[in-house]
Amino acid sequence: MPEILLSTLNARYTHASLGLRYLFANLGVLQVQSELVEFTISMRPLDIVEQILAKKPKIVGFGVYIWNVTETTAVVSLLKMLQPQLIIIIGGPEVSYEAEGQTISQQADYVVSGTAEQSLRELCIQLLTGQTPKEKFIQSPLLALAQLNLPYEHYTDTDIKQRFVYVEASRGCPFKCEFCLSALDKTAYPFELNKFLTEMEQLWQRGLRHFKFVDRTFNLKIATTQLILEFFLERLDADTFLHFELVPDHLPDVLKECIQRFPAGSLQFEIGIQTFNPEVQALISRKQDNDKSIENLRWLRQHSAAHLHTDLIFGLPGEDLVSFAQGFDQLVALHPHEIQVGILKRLRGAPIIRHTEAFGLIFNPYPPYNILATDRIDPFTMQQMNRFARYWDLIGNSGRFEHSLDLLLGETPFARFWVVSEQLQQRSGQTHQIALPRLFKLVHDIALSDLELSETFTEQLLADYARSGQKGEIPFVPGLRQRAVQQAGTDTRKQRQVRHTLDHS
């Protein structure tokens, strides 16, 4: 039985915790007495507790994040009720700042803040040798990356086959965007490149083909970026998939040339725009050349096969609905594959809190600490925007409306989709678990009745529905069955036959 158990509650089974594996890799002599075990937030807390207690550990460490703090608090509470002598250590971003007043911190025996690879090891050595640490709240020192053992050998074969495997070529961020905890970093620190690539080679040889880089600024140092991309280009096969987060206004020609060599389906870029409003950018300390960002996004869309996932944040101090709508329309015009409409959250420790009074920021006191209102956005508009974001995921980001989306959005994408989201709420009363045929019918009805679109939209929607794989009668065209649309395919003559059927149904 392990004396030390390292654990966390992941958002989904497919997520494998990189942080937990770093802690395990750096336990030193204690590693043989330790075990790593992961759960998910969908599990019942009592079932998690049962599995933990069955292993009879002396120490349990939990990684605590914004997405699992509620569930982890319940687990810690139950553990303390059932086995008070069990030593519980918590760490992670959610308890690295403002920890003293949190319920989970009060229940835990020790709270380790910051990068805890060294601090956790030293704390566990003290506890297992009968020493009593002086402090409950332990601040971790900043470690040189060369001091760390890399964690990648602790991804199991099951992880490699079934789960997302996260890697990092650097830590930290040189930018100071106040909505982000990385604003507290002094700069970005790279891992020694040859050592890192050796680890990537070992993962590759073990069969890993999907690499999700968690670096905040992957393209900060272009020479390093190029070497990493070249590493994968030399090994590229049909299953290769790489995910990177890019700085939007930093894409020199040497990197463009490298990106162009990747085929479709192998490269995904996450690109944070957040806001196009220069005044808001200055207010939140975000340095971004908007013109250059637009130019780079346009180039990536037109000259590369990379999948582009872009981000906007709603509720930033100083931004109203009109300003956000302008930014949304500007981004839609660049045709990224996805636009993630995020709602501002107050991450513990993030500097955004300094604007609370001046801009009337009201945050949800419960996770995920989302913004509820500002001096420019009332609570009702904020709630509608939450629904807008959810419906946009279902329609704009899902890829299911590839043919019909442009017609749906027209020349004023935000205004048009605002109508769609309002009508979807009124007609369905839900934002989740909308069956796909029903969603298509709702979108079709709203497009024709509220946006006054023509039958051309119906034809495009039929093409999208044909790709969805649904069977039976088309829900928004009574009398027309799926087989007719599927047979039409891309043959223009058959498409005309489908249109004829529509006209006479």
Side-chain angles (χ1 to χ4, degrees), residues 139-331:
Q139 177 63 50
S140 300
L142 183 64
L143 297 176
L145 299 187
Q147 295 179 249
L148 295 178
N149 293 322
L150 297 183
Y152 303 111
E153 66 178 291
H154 302 296
Y155 283 116
T156 67
D157 291 342
T158 299
D159 294 333
I160 289 173
K161 291 177 182 177
Q162 300 181 3
R163 309 175 78 190
F164 292 121
V165 170
Y166 300 92
V167 302
E168 59 176 357
S170 64
R171 281 188 181 179
C173 180
F175 302 111
K176 304 300 176 186
C177 310
E178 295 178 10
F179 54 80
C180 182
L181 276 178
S182 295
L184 304 177
D185 298 333
K186 294 183 182 301
T187 186
Y189 303 92
F191 286 90
E192 199 280 312
L193 185 58
N194 288 333
K195 183 179 179 181
F196 172 76
L197 291 179
T198 297
E199 295 287 335
M200 296 303 99
E201 173 65 20
Q202 291 173 0
L203 286 174
W204 184 274
Q205 292 301 326
R206 291 177 62 194
L208 183 65
R209 292 298 181 267
H210 288 206
F211 293 77
K212 297 202 74 171
F213 280 71
V214 298
D215 304 55
R216 290 290 187 185
T217 52
F218 178 71
N219 58 327
L220 184 65
K221 295 185 177 180
I222 297 302
T224 300
T225 306
Q226 186 180 7
L227 287 171
I228 292 173
L229 292 178
E230 291 285 356
F231 170 89
F232 287 106
L233 280 168
E234 291 172 4
R235 293 157 179 79
L236 195 67
D237 63 19
D239 298 321
T240 305
F241 178 82
L242 310 171
H243 173 100
F244 302 107
E245 186 170 342
L246 294 190
V247 180
D249 55 7
H250 188 47
L251 201 67
D253 289 342
V254 64
L255 189 53
K256 289 179 178 178
E257 187 277 330
C258 203
I259 289 169
Q260 282 184 306
R261 291 157 60 193
F262 283 87
S266 64
L267 206 54
Q268 175 169 296
F269 292 140
E270 182 174 346
I271 302 172
I273 296 298
Q274 320 310 0
T275 178
F276 277 121
N277 186 319
E279 294 179 2
V280 176
Q281 289 171 342
L283 189 67
I284 62 173
S285 307
R286 181 172 179 80
K287 294 182 179 180
Q288 179 173 290
D289 184 329
N290 287 336
D291 291 339
K292 199 67 178 176
S293 297
I294 291 168
E295 177 187 328
N296 289 339
L297 278 169
R298 185 176 289 116
W299 183 91
L300 284 167
R301 193 65 176 93
Q302 294 176 355
H303 300 287
S304 84
H307 182 94
L308 306 183
H309 173 112
T310 56
D311 296 296
L312 291 174
I313 296 178
F314 184 76
L316 290 169
E319 185 147 60
D320 59 18
L321 192 65
V322 172
S323 170
F324 184 85
Q326 291 170 346
F328 182 86
D329 288 354
Q330 198 167 3
L331 192 51

Side-chain angles (χ1 to χ4, degrees), residues 36 51 56 159 176 203 288 294 297 327 343 380 439 468:
L36 187 155
Q51 292 186 41
K56 299 181 179 180
D159 294 333
K176 304 300 176 186
L203 286 174
Q288 179 173 290
I294 291 168
L297 278 169
I343 307 299
F380 301 101
L439 179 62
S468 71

Side-chain angles (χ1 to χ4, degrees), residues 384-448:
Q384 179 59 28
M385 195 65 215
N386 275 283
R387 290 189 287 267
F388 180 105
R390 174 56 186 160
Y391 291 134
W392 179 255
D393 278 343
L394 291 176
I395 297 169
N397 289 339
S398 67
R400 296 189 181 107
F401 295 81
E402 179 182 353
H403 295 88
S404 55
L405 187 62
D406 284 347
L407 284 175
L408 187 70
L409 298 179
E411 298 298 320
T412 54
F414 184 87
R416 293 272 282 266
F417 201 79
W418 187 266
V419 172
V420 172
S421 64
E422 283 187 319
Q423 287 300 313
L424 279 170
Q425 170 62 18
Q426 290 181 23
R427 298 179 189 218
S428 72
Q430 59 192 112
T431 57
H432 294 77
Q433 297 180 328
I434 303 176
L436 193 58
R438 186 183 182 212
L439 179 62
F440 268 88
K441 183 176 186 340
L442 286 167
V443 170
H444 178 260
D445 292 349
I446 293 166
L448 268 61

Side-chain angles (χ1 to χ4, degrees), residues 117-157:
E117 288 92 348
Q118 176 181 309
S119 301
L120 178 67
R121 180 179 68 246
E122 293 174 351
L123 176 59
C124 288
I125 289 173
Q126 287 182 291
L127 294 170
L128 292 177
T129 56
Q131 303 176 58
T132 303
K134 296 179 181 179
E135 303 292 339
K136 173 176 179 172
F137 294 91
I138 300 167
Q139 177 63 50
S140 300
L142 183 64
L143 297 176
L145 299 187
Q147 295 179 249
L148 295 178
N149 293 322
L150 297 183
Y152 303 111
E153 66 178 291
H154 302 296
Y155 283 116
T156 67
D157 291 342

